[in-house]
Each structure stands twice: as structure tokens, then as C-alpha cells.
Amino acid sequence: MINEIVKLKEEGLTLQQIAEKMNTTVGKVQYRWNKYRLKMNHSAKLAELPERENDQKEELHENFEWTIPPEYNEDDLFSMVHSPTAIFAYWSLSDSKRHMVEHHFRTPWQSLPKRLKVYDVTDIEFHGHNSHRSFEIELPEMTNNWFIRGLEPNRSYCVDLGTKTFDGSFFTILRSNTIETPRIEADSLQAEKVLNWKSGNVAEPEWLENFCSYSYYQKIR
Amino acid sequence: MKNGYFSFILHAHLPYVRHREANRLEERWVFEAMTETYIPLLWVLQEQEQPACFGISFSPPVLEMLSDPVVQRRYVHYLENTEELIRKEKSLNPSGMIADIVRFYEKRYKKIRETFYQWGQNLINGFKHYEAEGKIECFTTAATHAFLPYIQTKEALRAQIVHGILTFEKHFGKRPAGFWLPECAYTPGVDKILFEEGIRYTFVDEHTLKNGSPKPDREVGAPVYSSHGIVLFPRCEAISQEVWSSITGYPGDFDYREFYRDIVYDRDWEYIKPHVHPEGFRTDSGLKYHRITGPTEEKAYYVREWAENKAKIHAEDFIQTIEERLEKKKEECYPPHLITSPFDAELFGHWWFEGPDFLSSVLEKGRGRIEFITPSEYINRHYRDLETIHAAFSTWGRDGYGDVWLNEKNAWMYRHLHKCEREIISTVARYSTQEPLRKRYIQQMIREWMLASSSDWAFIVDNDSATAYAINRFTEHIERFHKIYEQLKSNRISSSFIVEYEKDYPFLETIDTTIFQTSHDHYIKQHYKNLNSDTEKMNIAMLSWEFPPMVVGGLGRHVFDLAKQLVKLGANVYVITSDVEGYPTHEINEGIHVYRVKGLQPQNENFFHWVGSLNLAMMDQVRNLAKLIPFDCIHAHDWLVSVAAKGLKQELSIPLIATIHATEHGRNNGIHDPLQFEINQKEWELMFEADEIIVCSNHMKNELCEVFQVPENKVTILPNGVDPELFKPEAIHDYKYKQHGETLVFSVGRMVKEKGFQTIIEAAHLLKNEQDTIKFVIAGKGPLLEHYRRAVHEQQLSDIVHFIGYVSDEERNRLLAECDIALFPSHYEPFGIVALEGMIAGKATVVSETGGLKDIVKHEETGLTIYPNDPASLASAVLRLAREPGLRKKLALSGKHVAKNVFNWERIAKKTLKLMEQNTQKNNHVGSGV
């Protein structure tokens, strides 16, 4: 297995692509690959540094390994505009949060149905229940991204990752940023907002700008 | 001369392909662009005498590579190699057409070399020179040509823009007025940063203006202001098609040079071997002897004169097309019609070999017929006449939006880029950039992120050419980023480590890390500066779904009083509780840090899932706080926070203390339905996870040990306290509730079955016929309130029993002050804090002999106890106290004494803290002496 992975990797494929090609899981491929890299790297480093102390070799061994993972161990759901009728969302869930969801439902993660819920939140301050409309997408297992198509131009969307409760309702685990699909024809809907901003009548523009305000201590006041 | 303008724009960009080791295949991209595009463009400018020929953007990677001495030295080798090949070709004594071609290349390469040396081996000097002469206007683009709408954070967006500008300034000695948006990719908000950084104009695609809001009057005949005041020049689609189109476009003419037919593929291996890649594979030499010829594999030889002539014909055609268009729009004025035509610079020369000849011819033939203009000159003349619109996301790519850079093949890249952005922000927040070595680490992280975020990688992957290189480069920079980051976090940083990374890709000498400093992080760092001294203190994350002003039961009150005392004892307490409409999400109340959080579905009709949602939000809050606050333990109150408590215990690896105030089993006298079962499970899990469990009474401890099989030594009994301050007896001058001669019996609680108010109604029947005037006033709301009120009315007890509903704290205190007897007839009461309130208020207190109540009131000593759910017992106790004022006084006095001293928050808080210390091995000397 490892020989084929190395070969494909040298061809420039990502672990995810290799997994698809070999018809196996990313986890398995990554495990093999990491093991291989560790082995190769370790022997290379040891060979390079014959005169160094053992503990330094150890140090190199510890610090120099890092392989691009299929996803990160963190809570993240981010959506991006693809076109007037499609958006893209990718996500990852931290181990802790996954455990919490398992705990809340007293059900193992693999037995919980995975869903995306897409909300039309145009011109509203969305709090989880007040969208213009929404629909759900059933996700296959081991999925961490999705293209959501068939949307409408010039609307604001936001996506939840969640599961289905025993009574059939949607339970939100993560929520994405809100994004706006572009117009496909001119209108005058923004004219007044632009005027307000231009003439200094408002402190902040009243339209959506698709960039996030992230800060490290985000939730600390 | 036609009324109107034509603005020709070139955008020069290549990804940063300068490698430390020589002979990387992709480095040839730069050499080819220099040989076939950048140098011939300098020839075009040399020949032209008229000003304002065109505008040209140089991407920072191009600027950095053209000015790099290593790249320059390697380019000389590249030229030498080609010149050597030309000599060899010549020595073959070619005849006829081939001889002409060889002579053409010989002359051409001589001129290339001359031009390269003329500008001191740095071609930028040439463009600078012609800009100073006013022939061109130069500007730049994003630092590594990132697809700006797909950047995640404002900080990273600004970093891409600012470093583009800084690099331009470094090479041109001035700031640019214009900024090329990579891939003409615009989205609202990009213009805001451009404006703030002093940029005046940029370029977008035609449909960006056509789909504007509002629609501009001139459609694409004039640029517009974006909503933040950047001038957007629209690409004229029709004119671009003339050049671009694969069917009707100029570059496909049969007389033009064939791109794919290089002599390296026609010569013997031994002959060509010295001129190809040292690892022994054929790479384009740049010597191409054939013309496109037609749709055939049999290519005819290139005839330079024919090609030059064709370029002139095409230039004339192009000028006429522009003239026709301007003629149609000649009525337009203020401003006159403008045609903007931007192209990738490398199209001219590299892809379309005769492109520079065409361009030269266009400029020459156009003189006196159409007015060429640069963007700045146009703005200077017409800035007053431009409209303002809101422009939406758009690009010049396939279908006009993001499909080239975001599709099934390349979408996986963005997760990694965004992760880098956030980690840079985190790193700048966490580590001081004052320390030079650390700063170099952070700068290198930024460099790696920038190099990975080049739009070229996604583009190449979409295009299915050189995919391996693009993926490898992308992956390499992401991995390097994290290796540097890991090393930085390990605190074993060294100059010898980072210098290697810097040498590998010497892109952008200076990087401004402060762009990634968010104002919020800066504020937090300043605000919590003295936090280090707090590491001595006990830092407690306290989870409780209720907290004042939200007080459903006694729990909120309890948490508030306990937290307050813990703060007084020197601990730092962070209470995480649920959001209350109209109350701040953060406040410091009596020294307690209170964070009120909201689940993602705050109106979930299913209470159980509402709680689940709340728990996820609590977890997020504490996890974020823990970046700054070195929490020592979690203190969780009741099952409602079980999920967050367990999650945090695992996440933070710190002890969990759980206080169990009541159980579902106790409340319902067993578990009867699925919801109760789920709650029961959550209770069980919380108890299981907890390192220590606190309960308020013997009764509760027994319940836990029996019902949940909790080991006895895990449970500590700490009674609830009362705050005497809250029940200061006010001197009563006028009675509001009590009539003269009446005995007023007061009770308060939620109108639920287990509080036993039904027993009062039943007892009232027994007292109705006594001579004594006894009046029950019962405060509180709840599901059974209306039921009780109706019962009182129907049973004609309205004179005796009054259910007054919800009362404020002041009103409740007044009732406690006015009454003669405080009565709490609960059937189930884990603790019974209300009884303590009655005692503190100095009233004779009657309670059911159940649960925690029987630990509080000693019969005949500190009050009276009655049998639960026994109207006769209740009636007789009330009657006895009504008739014996002396007994009332005696019980009230001793009751108050016990309540004040035994059920005292300071004492309870000290014990709680001691329990925490035992579990965390943290001794802050507060608990000693307890």
C-alpha cells in the first residue's frame, strides 16, 4: 500500500485524492504516509548528523514532522461564493465538540445522520429561526465539504452543519458565515444604501461584505 | 480623431518560481517571459514617441524575480545556452528559409542581450525609465496574486494589498495609483481596503458594471466609483474578443509563429542534449522555426516578413474596430466614451509571438486617429463625471464568477489557506513581535501563507497542466508554515532554523506583521496585562444555566451568592450562563465575570435540545476564555450543563466539581417518561465525570448514593447559604397585606406539585371554622397557578388563601417582614433555601419534614416541622403558632441565629474552595483554617 501512496504522492496528488484513487479512507492513507515520512525523515536526519548528540536527534525527530491533513481538529464551517446560483461550504469538527454531540444524543457519531441546512437570510439579522426559507441536505459519511447549487442570485445565505433529532427536527452543531450571491442583472436595490454611505449618513455600510472579522481572543471581553 | 478614448492595459504576472536550487523547470517561465514579452515590450516603448501609450501592472513576484541577482545570473546562462544553440544551428550551414530564420534569431538574441544589459540586468529599470518619460503608467497587484474574494479575513486581505503596494514602492520608488485585481476578482469590501491604502482605481469585468446597483447610465462606456470610492474600469468584452478569441482572434493567424513546435523536438538527442535540462529531458529552447500554417500537423517554415506584415494588418483592423465603436458612441460626453482593454502581458510575445509587433503597430497607426489614455489621466480629466454603484462579486474567469478557482478539483485548498490566516492572527496576538527572532518566524509564516495563496495554484489545478508542480508548491508552503509554527510554539526557536526557510524563498524582504494585529486582540492584551499575577489565584469556570436576573428556581441565586463569596476569598470566577434578552453578554457583577451565551437555536421548542445547543455555546465560550485564563477547575451546576462540563473537562484536562441541586428522580418520585429518562442519564453522566460532587443535604447524598450508586466518598455535603444582607428587616409602619388582628402566613415558590401548595388549600378547610383569623399569602408563578386559584375560588376559600402570583424581590421581602409565620409545605425539596430566608427574616418557620428541609429546621428548636402532604398536620402547626406568640418569638430567634451562622455563604465558600484546592493541588492560602 505504501509504495503506491509514495508513487501517487510524488505525482503531486493530495492524500484525499490518493484515498479516492485507492478506494480507501483518508485516515488510512494519512496514517501510512505519516509513518513512512517519519521513518524516512528520521533515518535521513540521523544520517546527516552523525556527530550530534542523541537528544538533538530526538528533537529534530519531534519538530520537523508536519503533513498537510485532510482537515484540522477544530470547529470550523466556512462558506464561499461560487457563482450567482452556487456556494461552497467546508467544515471540520473538533474532537471535543463531536464528543459533546455524541454525549447530548447518547449516540455514537457514525450513527448520527449528518445534515446541512441552508438558510436564506437576505436582509435579516439571523439568529437561527427567522430565515426567509431553508432546506436541508443529507450528507454522506466522511464528507467535509459540499457545493450547494440551485440557489438564487442576489440573496444572502448561511449554512448550518447539524444532525437530525429523534423527533425529526434539525439540531445545529456549527454555523457558517453569511455570504451573498452576486446579481445577474442590474437593479436599484442598493442605490439608497450607497447614497447613505457616500453622504456619511451611516457609520457602517449597510450591505454585506464577505470578509470575516476574526481575532484570537474573539469571545473574550 | 474620434471623440472618445482607448485605454490599453497589460498585466504582467508569474507565480514566484525562484528556487534556491538551480535548473528548476518552472524557473524557465520567467526566462521565457523576459525573452519574449518583457524585453520586446521595452522595444515597443523605445520606438514610441507619443505619451500615455498604455498602463501596465507588475505583480510583486515578477518585480521580486526580475530584480533578483540570482535570477539575473541564471538568465545570462539561459541566454548563453540559446546563443550557443543558434551558433550550432548556423554552423550546420542552413540554406533558404531556414537560413533566414536562423539569421532572424541571431539578430534578435543579440538585441535581447543588449537590452538586458542596457537596463543593468534589471528590466524594471527600463519600465521605470519609460514611466518617467510619461509613456506608460505602472502599477501593481496583490502580494502574491491571491484571489482576493476567497481570502477569509480582513487582515489577510489587507496584508495582500499592502504588501503589493510596498513591493511596488520598493522597486519604483513611489506608491501606485492603480491596483490590478487578480483575475479581475472583485467583491464588496475589497474596495474599502484599497481605498484606505490610497489606491484610486482598479479593473473589473464588463458584467460587474452591467449588473451594478444601480445600473450605470453609461453601462460600460465609462468607469464608475465603487461604493467605497475606487474607480472601477470595466473590461470591454467585444474588443478583448478581437484579440483573444480562439476562432476569430488574431493570434491564431496561419502566418504567425507556431508556439508548440520548438527545434528541441526536431533535433537528434546527442545534438540537442547540451541545450536542454541537465537531468536529460527536452525543454523548449525558444527557437521555433514554424508558422501555424493551418489545421495540420505538417507545419511550414516561419516567414518573418509575412508575420510582421500580418501584425500590421491586424493592427489596422483593430484600430478600425475601435474607431467604429467610438463613432457609434460619439454623442457621449462628460465623460466621452472610454474603451478599456486589459490583457495578460505574457499573451503579447510569449503566447502570441508577434503580439509586441502588433502593439507597436497599433500605437503607431492609431496616432491622430484615436486618443490613447492611461487610467490616471482619464480620472484626472473626468473624476467629477463618474457615477457610484454597488458592484457584486465577479471575475473575468469562466462564466464570470469563481468557477476556475473554486471547483471540485481545487476547492480543498481554501481550508488550508484560511487556517494559515487565522493562525497568523493568533500568533501575532500571542507572541510579542518586539523580539527580533520571533518576529522573523512570524514574518516567514506570513511569507509561506502568501506564497501558498497565489491564485496560480488553483488556476493550474483547474487547467490540468503542471498540476503536480502547483499541488507540490501549495502543499510545500502550507507544510513549511506549520513546521515554523510548531517550532515557534515549542519555544525552541533558533536563528539557524529560520534562516534556511528565509533563504529558500527570499520573497519580500520586509513584512509588516502589525497588519495581523486585530484591534480586539490588542485591547484584550492591554486589558488583561496583569493576568500573570492571577496564576496564583484559583481560576474557576462556573457553568450554570441560570444566573440573575434569570432566576427560575433557587439555583441562580445559589450560584450568584457562592460566586460572590469565592471572589471575596480571592478566586477569579467566570460564570457562563444563558443569554437573557436585554442583559449584557458580558459584565462584571460583584467581581464575578459573567458571560451570557446563546445557543445557535435559541428558540428551540424542545427544551432538551435547547439545552444541548446552549451547552455547545458554553463550551465555545470557555474554550476561548481558556486561551487567556489558566482555568484550574470547572464547577458545574446540575444536569443542564452536563454536556459542556464533560467536554471541557476533556478539552482542558482540569478537575470537574459538580453541585447537584436536585434530581429528576427526586422531583418526580421516579422516572416515568423518555424525557425524564434522558435527564436522568445526563445527571448520571455528570456525577460519573465529576471528580467531586457537592450536595446540600444528607437527604440528597443518600439519594445520589442509592439512586445513582455514586461512591460515598465522592460526595461532600455543603448546605446552601443565605445572604442576611438581602433580608434586612425593615421597620414596618404600615401593613399592606396584613389586616389588624390577623395572623399572616407567607409562602413562596414555583407553582408546581412538589412544592405542596395543594396541602395549604386542603388545610384551609380545617382552619375555616376556627375563630382565629388566619390568612395565607402565597407568592410565585408556575404551571399550576391558575389551577390553584380556581380551586380556592370554587371552594370558597378566597378570604383565607391568596395566590398573588409573581412578586418582585422587594415585594417578597416586604411580605417576609409583614408575616407572622413562614410556611414551606414541600413534598420534595432537595434543600429549601426559602426556609432559610424565612428564618433570616426572623419569622417562625414551618416546613415539611422532607429532603433538605429537615436538615435546616429542628422541630421545636428552630421552627416546626409537619408531615408532608398532611393537611391536618399543617393546620395544627399553623394554629399552634397563631395562638402562641411566645413560641413564635422563641423559634424565630433561634432560627435566625442558626441560619446566620451555619448557613453562611462565607463559610460555605471557604469549604468549596478548599475542596477545589484539594483537587487542583493549588494552595492559595484562603481555605486554611476552615
Side-chain angles (χ1 to χ4, degrees), chain B residues 6-103:
Chain B
F6 178 67
S7 186
F8 199 81
I9 304 296
L10 292 176
H11 168 53
H13 167 65
L14 290 170
Y16 191 75
V17 288
R18 189 267 208 205
H19 288 265
R20 199 170 172 182
E21 68 277 13
N23 292 315
R24 282 295 286 257
L25 205 55
E26 293 72 18
E27 207 165 67
R28 301 175 70 93
W29 298 350
V30 191
F31 305 149
E32 288 168 9
M34 287 166 79
T35 310
E36 294 173 335
T37 297
Y38 307 153
I39 287 175
L41 280 177
L42 286 169
W43 298 341
V44 171
L45 290 168
Q46 194 179 1
E47 287 163 18
Q48 288 307 316
E49 276 155 27
Q50 62 171 323
C53 299
F54 54 86
I56 179 164
S57 129
F58 289 97
S59 77
V62 167
L63 294 174
E64 289 284 282
M65 290 191 291
L66 290 185
S67 60
D68 187 326
V70 173
V71 174
Q72 291 164 1
R73 203 166 56 239
R74 289 175 186 170
Y75 183 60
V76 174
H77 292 308
Y78 173 86
L79 280 183
E80 279 167 357
N81 183 37
T82 314
E83 286 159 350
E84 178 59 32
L85 183 59
I86 294 170
R87 270 194 293 278
K88 261 169 82 174
E89 287 286 291
K90 211 178 154 188
S91 67
L92 295 175
N93 283 320
S95 60
M97 292 177 96
I98 305 186
D100 291 345
I101 297 170
V102 174
R103 258 196 306 279

Side-chain angles (χ1 to χ4, degrees), chain B residues 376-425:
Chain B
S376 283
E377 181 54 30
Y378 179 92
I379 295 172
N380 287 342
R381 291 190 202 171
H382 301 295
Y383 68 92
R384 290 182 208 84
D385 305 324
L386 308 182
E387 295 173 70
T388 302
I389 65 158
H390 173 276
F393 169 60
S394 51
T395 76
W396 73 354
R398 179 170 67 232
D399 303 335
Y401 300 96
D403 193 54
V404 171
W405 303 272
L406 183 69
N407 56 48
E408 304 283 353
K409 286 188 244 172
N410 53 23
W412 59 274
M413 294 173 146
Y414 295 98
R415 174 195 304 276
H416 302 290
L417 292 172
H418 297 163
K419 172 79 173 167
C420 291
E421 291 180 32
R422 296 193 306 274
E423 294 296 12
I424 295 168
I425 292 173

Side-chain angles (χ1 to χ4, degrees), chain B residues 747-767 776-779 783-797 800-803 823-828 848 866-875:
Chain B
S747 194
V748 59
R750 255 175 79 69
M751 295 296 134
V752 288
K753 189 163 175 270
E754 70 247 32
K755 293 294 176 191
F757 297 122
Q758 182 64 33
T759 318
I760 296 181
I761 299 173
E762 285 162 26
H765 282 287
L766 305 176
L767 293 167
F776 294 94
V777 173
I778 306 154
L784 292 180
L785 180 60
E786 285 315 310
H787 170 83
Y788 288 150
R789 280 179 170 164
R790 217 168 28 244
V792 168
H793 181 74
E794 282 162 9
Q795 294 167 35
Q796 291 162 8
L797 295 168
I800 304 173
V801 184
H802 304 265
F803 282 94
L823 167 66
F824 303 102
S826 305
H827 300 167
Y828 170 75
S848 294
I866 55 175
Y867 296 113
N869 204 7
D870 184 339
S873 173
L874 191 155

Side-chain angles (χ1 to χ4, degrees), chain B residues 250-413:
Chain B
Y250 305 131
D253 191 278
F254 297 165
D255 285 344
Y256 287 144
R257 194 180 80 161
E258 168 64 54
F259 179 82
Y260 293 101
R261 188 77 178 270
D262 195 288
I263 63 160
V264 285
Y265 307 106
D266 293 335
R267 299 289 178 268
D268 287 342
W269 177 242
E270 284 310 312
Y271 174 88
I272 204 73
K273 197 179 153 196
H275 305 285
V276 300
H277 195 273
E279 276 170 35
F281 48 89
R282 296 181 199 246
T283 42
D284 279 17
S285 68
L287 303 184
K288 300 173 186 189
Y289 287 4
H290 298 83
R291 55 191 168 91
I292 294 172
T293 318
T296 166
E297 289 296 300
E298 295 299 312
K299 299 292 178 191
Y301 285 115
Y302 182 62
V303 182
R304 180 61 187 170
E305 292 73 31
W306 296 4
E308 279 176 356
N309 201 34
K310 215 27 112 36
K312 287 198 179 92
I313 294 170
H314 285 155
E316 178 58 34
D317 180 71
F318 190 69
I319 295 285
Q320 282 177 19
T321 310
I322 291 167
E323 280 179 328
E324 282 162 24
R325 198 178 170 89
L326 290 179
E327 176 66 26
K328 272 187 223 156
K329 308 277 181 182
K330 69 178 174 193
E331 306 304 324
E332 284 183 16
C333 52
Y334 305 110
H337 192 82
L338 169 72
I339 299 169
T340 308
S341 225
F343 295 96
D344 278 331
E346 293 76 17
L347 169 72
F348 292 87
H350 183 55
W351 290 106
W352 177 18
F353 185 61
E354 296 77 6
D357 304 299
F358 165 83
L359 181 55
S360 198
S361 217
V362 165
L363 294 170
E364 200 159 305
K365 287 173 185 292
R367 204 188 307 172
R369 294 165 67 187
I370 51 178
E371 187 170 359
F372 293 96
I373 196 164
T374 58
S376 283
E377 181 54 30
Y378 179 92
I379 295 172
N380 287 342
R381 291 190 202 171
H382 301 295
Y383 68 92
R384 290 182 208 84
D385 305 324
L386 308 182
E387 295 173 70
T388 302
I389 65 158
H390 173 276
F393 169 60
S394 51
T395 76
W396 73 354
R398 179 170 67 232
D399 303 335
Y401 300 96
D403 193 54
V404 171
W405 303 272
L406 183 69
N407 56 48
E408 304 283 353
K409 286 188 244 172
N410 53 23
W412 59 274
M413 294 173 146

Side-chain angles (χ1 to χ4, degrees), chain A residues 9-14 16-17 33 37 41 59 62-76 78 80-84 87-88 90-92 94-97 99-101 103-106 117 119 127-129 144-145 147 149 160 165-167 169-175 180-191 194 197-198 204-205 207-221, chain B residues 148-155 157 187-190 192 210-215 227-228 388-393 401-403 406-409 411-412 414-416 418-419 422 425-426 429-430 468 471-472 474-475 478-479 482-483 486-487 492 497 518 520-521 524-525 528 586 595 600-604 606 608-609 612-613 615-616 619-621 623-625 627-628 642-644 646-647 650-651 677-678 681-682 685:
Chain A
K9 191 76 191 155
E10 276 166 5
E11 285 172 22
L13 270 66
T14 62
Q16 195 150 8
Q17 290 167 325
W33 175 245
R37 294 246 310 202
N41 215 286
E59 200 174 300
E62 276 171 29
N63 291 333
F64 281 67
E65 272 322 305
W66 199 91
T67 310
I68 194 164
E71 61 182 57
Y72 298 89
N73 182 9
E74 65 180 2
D75 298 319
D76 187 19
F78 191 67
M80 299 165 71
V81 193
H82 169 270
S83 61
I87 63 175
F88 171 72
Y90 70 79
W91 58 89
S92 64
S94 66
D95 291 343
S96 336
K97 192 158 271 181
H99 290 152
M100 285 173 73
V101 174
H103 180 190
H104 175 71
F105 287 101
R106 295 192 308 106
K117 188 165 183 175
Y119 303 91
H127 58 60
H129 306 278
N144 65 11
N145 67 84
F147 278 93
R149 305 189 191 268
D160 276 4
T165 66
F166 315 115
D167 56 21
S169 62
F170 184 85
F171 180 86
T172 301
I173 302 170
L174 297 175
R175 176 159 301 151
E180 191 178 56
T181 51
R183 284 181 294 274
I184 50 168
E185 54 189 5
D187 63 31
S188 50
L189 295 173
Q190 306 284 337
V194 170
W197 173 244
K198 218 173 118 177
E204 288 292 327
W207 56 84
L208 191 67
E209 302 194 335
N210 291 335
F211 295 97
C212 297
S213 299
Y214 172 82
S215 59
Y216 182 62
Y217 300 118
Q218 219 158 16
K219 290 179 186 287
I220 307 177
R221 293 287 173 266
Chain B
L148 300 181
Y150 290 164
I151 282 180
Q152 184 173 51
T153 61
K154 287 175 184 155
E155 288 70 22
L157 172 65
T187 197
V190 167
K192 178 170 188 281
K210 281 184 171 165
N211 300 339
S213 181
K215 188 188 185 86
S227 35
H228 286 284
T388 302
I389 65 158
H390 173 276
F393 169 60
Y401 300 96
D403 193 54
L406 183 69
N407 56 48
E408 304 283 353
K409 286 188 244 172
W412 59 274
Y414 295 98
R415 174 195 304 276
H416 302 290
H418 297 163
K419 172 79 173 167
R422 296 193 306 274
I425 292 173
S426 305
R430 288 172 68 189
I471 291 178
N472 282 341
F474 176 82
T475 309
I478 299 288
E479 295 193 350
H482 285 278
K483 284 174 188 172
E486 287 302 314
Q487 173 88 183
R492 283 179 292 187
F497 173 89
T518 70
H520 179 71
D521 285 337
I524 293 294
K525 273 206 286 194
Y528 287 84
H586 172 240
Y595 282 92
L600 292 172
Q601 293 166 301
Q603 292 164 15
N604 199 323
N606 180 315
F608 184 73
H609 294 313
S613 200
N615 272 261
L616 297 184
M619 160 75 158
D620 288 339
Q621 182 61 50
R623 191 152 54 169
N624 202 274
L625 277 169
K627 289 177 176 178
L628 200 66
S642 162
V643 171
K646 180 178 170 181
Q650 286 172 356
E651 170 93 7
F677 177 75
E678 288 300 326
Q681 287 297 312
K682 290 282 166 288
E685 286 151 355

Side-chain angles (χ1 to χ4, degrees), chain B residues 133-181:
Chain B
E133 284 192 349
K135 287 185 182 173
I136 47 167
E137 177 175 3
C138 299
F139 46 97
T140 191
T141 181
T144 53
H145 209 260
F147 189 93
L148 300 181
Y150 290 164
I151 282 180
Q152 184 173 51
T153 61
K154 287 175 184 155
E155 288 70 22
L157 172 65
R158 190 182 297 276
Q160 275 282 346
I161 291 171
V162 167
H163 287 97
I165 295 171
L166 288 175
T167 311
F168 183 85
E169 205 176 357
K170 173 178 146 193
H171 295 285
F172 279 84
K174 60 172 197 179
R175 291 173 76 83
F179 189 94
W180 177 263
L181 287 177

